[in-house]
Amino acid sequence: MEPNKIEDILEKYFEGETSVAEENQLREYFSSPNVAQHLEQYKPMFGYFSQAKEQKSTHEIPLLPKSRDKKRNVAWLSIAASAVVLMGIGTYFFVSEQKETTAVASQTELGTYQDPEEALKATQKALALLSNNVNVGIESVQYIKEYEQSKNKIFKQ
């Protein structure tokens, strides 16, 4: 076979573009005694492929019963589910503890003012809010008294 044709097929082989027939041509060429000098470096590679093709394994692979595989899969599945649940619980407690620390930190900062005028304004604002809520409560009590009087007129006791 021509060395130029073999070189072209080798290039295609290393690019992964050869057909099975072309690969067989390469194997035949490199197993023959008349290989071109500059292509001698590829002879061991193709010789190994031919030799490896003829090797056969005599080692027997034992097959496990399917029920054992299923039991093993169920065991791993339960372990994985337990790990996921534990990670979820751990994350929940970690996040809730962080919220508590920020809440405690913000509570310790309440009522500490360096400027007396700022403290007075904050106190007045808090008392105004409290006053509005107390007034709403008093109005509700007046409605209840009025209802009680109407009820007493209708249902004389």
Side-chain angles (χ1 to χ4, degrees):
M1 189 176 286
E2 299 175 3
N4 292 338
K5 186 175 181 184
I6 292 296
E7 288 174 5
D8 292 339
I9 296 174
L10 261 177
E11 282 184 40
K12 286 174 60 177
Y13 179 79
F14 289 123
E15 295 291 323
E17 299 173 351
T18 55
S19 65
V20 176
E22 290 172 328
E23 289 178 17
N24 288 334
Q25 285 178 354
L26 286 173
R27 268 192 224 104
E28 287 175 18
Y29 177 77
F30 285 108
S31 64
S32 69
N34 53 352
V35 177
Q37 187 69 24
H38 66 284
L39 298 176
E40 283 284 331
Q41 61 185 351
Y42 301 115
K43 191 172 184 177
M45 181 175 70
F46 285 98
Y48 172 77
F49 290 152
S50 299
Q51 188 181 30
K53 186 177 182 182
E54 294 173 2
Q55 288 180 349
K56 293 189 180 183
S57 174
T58 58
H59 182 69
E60 289 186 28
I61 301 172
L63 297 176
L64 298 174
K66 291 190 179 220
S67 62
R68 185 174 175 189
D69 289 341
K70 287 182 182 179
K71 287 179 185 176
R72 189 175 292 163
N73 287 343
V74 169
W76 280 111
L77 184 63
S78 64
I79 290 170
S82 300
V84 168
V85 168
L86 287 174
M87 287 179 65
I89 291 171
T91 304
Y92 171 76
F93 283 117
F94 179 73
V95 169
S96 65
E97 187 173 316
Q98 279 186 339
K99 286 182 181 177
E100 282 181 18
T101 11
T102 55
V104 168
S106 65
Q107 286 178 355
T108 57
E109 294 175 5
L110 291 177
T112 55
Y113 290 98
Q114 300 299 327
D115 185 19
E117 291 179 13
E118 187 179 342
L120 176 66
K121 288 179 184 178
T123 304
Q124 287 175 343
K125 183 178 177 183
L127 289 175
L129 286 171
L130 180 66
S131 168
N132 287 338
N133 289 333
V134 169
N135 288 340
V136 168
I138 290 173
E139 289 174 4
S140 298
V141 169
Q142 289 175 353
Y143 286 129
I144 291 174
K145 284 183 183 178
E146 191 173 317
Y147 171 76
E148 191 73 28
Q149 288 172 357
S150 300
K151 185 183 86 171
N152 289 339
K153 285 181 184 176
I154 295 173
F155 304 108
K156 293 184 182 178
Q157 293 180 4

